Every structure is written in C-alpha cells, then in structure tokens.
Amino acid sequence: MSSSMVEMASQGGDEEGNERLDKLHMTDLATTTLYLTRETFLQAAISLKDRVIEATWKERGGLQLQSMDPTVYTGLLGTAFTCLRSYQATGCQSDLQLCAEIVDTCAAVARSSKRHLTFLCGSGGVYALGAVVANYKDDCQRRDLYLDLFLEVAQDRALPSGPEEGGFGMPYELHYGRAGFLWAALFINRHLGEVVPKNLLMPVVEAVLAGGRAGASDNTACPLMYRWHGTGYWGAAHGLAGILHVVLHFPLSRQDAEDVKDTFRYMMKNRFPRSGNYPSSEGNPRDNLVQWSHGATGMAITLCNAAQVFSCDREFRDAAIEAGEVVWKNGLVRKVGLSDGVSGNAYAFLSLYRLTGKTIYQKRAEAFASFLYHNAGRLVTAGHVRRNDHAYSLFQGLAGVACLWFDLVSPENSRFPGYEL
C-alpha cells in the first residue's frame, strides 16, 4: 500500500486538491505496516518544526515587514503557533522564546493594519497568541500589553452591530468575521481565565445569531443562514459549521439553543444521500470536497462539539460518527494541510476519539499521520502546496502536519489548531 501511495503522490493533483490518493479501509487497521510509535511522531514533529522555522523565519530574516504575511492561516504567526504547540508537548524553553519573538514581529505588522480582527487571519490572532505566550513566560507586563491591544480590537463598533444597525457590513464567518474574533477571545480566556469580559463578547454573539436569523428569513426550514460574498456556505472556514462551532462555546437561551439545533438538523437532513457528505454551500449539487474547510471533516468536528453541549440529544453524536465515516471512506486526499489536506482530515478522528473514547478513531488518525510521515515531503515537492508559496504554513502546508504529530503524542489532549479549544 505504501509504495502505491508514493507513486500516486508523485502525480499531479486535481484543481481543487481533493482527488483521492488511495483508501485506507477498516481491515487495514490490523495489517498496515505504516503505524508509528508516539516517540517516532514526537521526534518527527520536532524535526519538521525545525524545518518550518528554518524556511519561514531564519531564511527570511531580511523580509520587509510590509511584504510579510503575519497571519496564523498562511503566514508567520502559524510558525509561532507551531512553536507554542512544540513547547506544550516538550517543555522546550527555546521554542517558547522563539514563539514570543515571532509574535512581536507579527505585531509590528498588525498594528499598521486593522482590516481583519480574527484569530486565523487578523490582528486578533496576533494579540491573543501574544498574551498567551507572555503568560507562559510569566511576563506580566507583555501579557497585559497584548491583552490591552486585544481589548482595543474588541471595541470595534461593527462587532456587536446586528442587522437592524446595518450589521451586514462585517462578515460572520471564522476566517475574516465575527466568529473568528470570538474564537480569539475564547483562546485568551481558555489560557488566562475570563479576562475578556462577557459584557464585551455576548453582544457579538447576539449579533451573530441575529444575523443568522436575518440571513435565513427566506428559508423557513433553516433558522440560521449566513452568506459570504453572496454564497450561503456550510463549511468550517466561511460558513455554518465554523460559526455554530464558535457559538456553542457561549451560554445560549432556550430559543437560541433550539435555533442552533434545528440548523444542525437542517444540515443533517440535507446531506448528500449516497455519500453522507455535506454540501460546501446552500444548494450546491457538487459532492467532491471532504476536508475541514468544506464537507464532512469540519462538520464531524463541529458535531462532536454539539454532541457535548447538547448531550441529551443523541442525534448529534450519531451524526458526528457518520461524518467521520465519510472522511474515512473517502480516503486520502492529495494535499497535506489542515485546511484541505490529510492532516486536517486526521483531526476529525481525534475529535471522535475524545468524544467516544474508542481507539478505532485514534488508530485512524495515526494511519493518516503515518501516511504523512512517509509521503508529506513528496506531496510538497510534487507541487501540491509549493505553487501557492505556502508549503510551510500552518493551514496549507507542513506546519499543520507538525502540529498533528505533536497531538498524536497525547491524543486525549489533541486540538485542531485555531478551531478546537
């Protein structure tokens, strides 16, 4: 199986990067020779992390600030996040120190641009990560500096503006919108305690729910709907799955909770009947994307969250498991990254493992991760990520692979970077 995958990995990918390389089936769990030990994953993660640092930080030390991408998603802040994940796994102080240095560099860029406020693609991520890293370093002065900068971002008047106040001016999704800002706040509070107050966050949550109701006003079957660039996306990156995933972390009224649950039920009811996959957008008939950004992967992770929040509703747990089966049966995709590649799909199994405690999901994650151990370099050199110059980025390149390997050292504590808390 390994040799055939290597051969196919050297061939070109399709336009959307979701063509399958091969399939790993249930019976392969007992027969595959690809599985690696936790120590092997750890050493591989450390080595790959060092390569990411070399390529994105050391080799580009002379890069002009104005031309630098400071984001978590495809930029230098993703390297900082990977260093933090390495520190959390190994306790290596040099990783923590380097993470702080990279964040400071990104902050110099973020201060001059206030276009986006989110964790993945904006200043919210820079300041959130800066505050958390400074807290790890016991640097109270720097922690408070970054926290103050984040709270300054939180004062943006567009964040809590509902539809009646013209609130459609700012998107709602995870990459560039209000859900992405809220996730950054949750990340801070997860690590520092409730330092971003609810009186700042709950009006934004209420605006997100109001926007969803307004967006669904022409669809009586679905209580919440959001449009990004005119399209009603369903996925984690720009649509329903990502927005609802974030909203689930906040206290909801009975009506809000029912609207969220009924939106999930609408999505579950309108899956593709043959494959069980989820459309990328409202009314889209193309069943070709199984990844975190669009399709069953992001839905599996979000439904795992819903199954924990609505623990009395067994349907969400069942739907999460069914979405995971879609990811498994779809097999391996041609890209390596978290957004639309093998590493992102592996996290669906880690989420299911934490939800159910069943080792089959851990083994499936290890199978995907082991494939990356043997083939990630070939996929990159074959041009599947190099062509857009994000070969070492967190969400489209090898930094995401390193984070997956770190998480497999302690799968019970695994978290999809920038998505799970």
Side-chain angles (χ1 to χ4, degrees):
M1 180 170 63
S2 178
S3 61
S4 65
M5 289 180 184
V6 171
E7 180 182 351
M8 296 186 75
S10 66
Q11 301 170 5
D14 65 4
E15 182 179 349
E16 291 180 304
N18 203 58
E19 183 179 339
R20 288 171 291 184
L21 292 172
D22 201 344
K23 287 188 177 181
L24 294 171
H25 296 286
M26 296 283 285
T27 54
D28 292 319
L29 295 176
T31 61
T32 183
T33 60
L34 290 178
Y35 290 110
L36 307 173
T37 66
R38 291 190 181 188
E39 181 60 28
T40 302
F41 279 129
L42 177 60
Q43 294 307 314
I46 293 170
S47 177
L48 184 53
K49 176 263 303 179
D50 290 341
R51 284 174 55 196
V52 169
I53 292 169
E54 188 71 27
T56 61
W57 178 247
K58 294 181 180 178
E59 291 181 3
R60 302 190 179 191
L63 189 67
Q64 295 295 317
L65 288 180
Q66 59 265 31
S67 61
M68 189 189 80
D69 179 355
T71 69
V72 169
Y73 192 75
T74 54
L76 192 57
L77 201 65
T79 300
F81 190 99
T82 307
C83 290
L84 178 61
R85 186 59 59 90
S86 179
Y87 167 74
Q88 292 169 327
T90 67
C92 178
Q93 289 293 324
S94 62
D95 283 333
L96 186 63
Q97 179 58 36
L98 181 58
C99 179
E101 293 173 13
I102 295 174
V103 170
D104 288 346
T105 300
C106 293
V109 180
R111 291 298 300 270
S112 63
S113 174
K114 297 183 178 180
R115 183 180 176 191
H116 301 304
L117 311 179
T118 64
F119 186 85
L120 293 182
C121 297
S123 57
V126 178
Y127 304 146
L129 193 58
V132 169
V133 171
N135 192 61
Y136 273 115
K137 293 171 89 297
D138 294 323
D139 186 343
C140 298
Q141 183 176 2
R142 206 146 197 82
R143 178 200 65 200
D144 292 345
L145 169 65
Y146 278 117
L147 184 57
D148 287 345
L149 288 169
F150 185 85
L151 292 174
E152 183 180 317
V153 166
Q155 300 299 324
D156 191 301
R157 292 184 179 180
L159 283 166
S161 297
E164 66 278 5
E165 297 103 18
F168 290 111
M170 178 181 284
Y172 295 94
E173 42 83 79
L174 193 72
H175 269 210
Y176 305 113
R178 301 177 215 213
F181 161 78
L182 289 170
W183 199 93
L186 289 166
F187 180 76
I188 292 176
N189 287 350
R190 167 70 175 78
H191 290 275
L192 274 65
E194 299 295 321
V195 294
V196 184
K198 286 184 178 179
N199 64 351
L200 275 179
L201 300 180
M202 288 310 298
V204 184
V205 175
E206 291 164 5
V208 170
L209 291 167
R213 292 185 180 107
S217 59
D218 59 347
N219 184 348
T220 57
C222 184
L224 303 171
M225 185 59 65
Y226 303 87
R227 286 172 176 78
W228 188 67
H229 292 294
T231 300
Y233 284 105
W234 281 30
H238 301 297
L240 279 168
I243 296 167
L244 297 184
H245 177 77
V246 173
V247 167
L248 286 172
H249 289 85
F250 292 92
L252 300 174
S253 69
R254 177 176 295 182
Q255 183 59 57
D256 292 340
E258 287 304 314
D259 283 349
V260 169
K261 288 194 284 187
D262 285 344
T263 300
F264 280 130
R265 289 168 180 143
Y266 172 81
M267 298 172 78
M268 290 152 54
K269 181 180 179 180
N270 288 279
R271 289 173 288 178
F272 291 112
R274 172 172 289 185
S275 69
N277 191 28
Y278 287 79
S280 61
S281 58
E282 182 75 357
N284 192 326
R286 298 180 66 190
D287 181 8
N288 64 330
L289 297 176
V290 178
Q291 52 187 237
W292 173 79
S293 292
H294 307 287
T297 304
M299 278 300 295
I301 296 171
T302 295
L303 286 167
C304 283
N305 188 15
Q308 293 173 309
V309 174
F310 307 124
S311 57
C312 294
D313 296 283
R314 178 79 186 196
E315 60 189 310
F316 302 118
R317 177 187 173 98
D318 292 342
I321 292 170
E322 290 166 5
E325 290 301 311
V326 173
V327 178
W328 180 249
K329 291 175 182 178
N330 185 71
L332 294 159
V333 294
R334 287 189 176 272
K335 293 187 178 182
V336 302
L338 294 173
S339 178
D340 53 5
V342 178
S343 57
N345 284 1
Y347 272 101
F349 306 129
L350 289 175
S351 297
L352 285 164
Y353 171 65
R354 297 196 318 273
L355 176 68
T356 67
K358 294 183 178 180
T359 58
I360 186 174
Y361 298 117
Q362 179 188 342
K363 293 298 183 184
R364 289 180 175 185
E366 290 173 354
F368 276 32
S370 297
F371 165 78
L372 288 169
Y373 177 84
H374 293 283
N375 297 290
R378 291 177 180 270
L379 290 173
V380 171
T381 56
H384 301 303
V385 291
R386 175 183 287 174
R387 61 187 173 198
N388 58 15
D389 199 31
H390 300 311
Y392 290 92
S393 70
L394 184 60
F395 269 72
Q396 292 188 0
L398 291 169
V401 177
C403 286
L404 172 64
W405 290 343
F406 278 125
D407 272 334
L408 282 168
V409 176
S410 181
E412 62 277 5
N413 297 317
S414 61
R415 297 293 185 273
F416 191 110
Y419 197 59
E420 293 182 296
L421 290 161

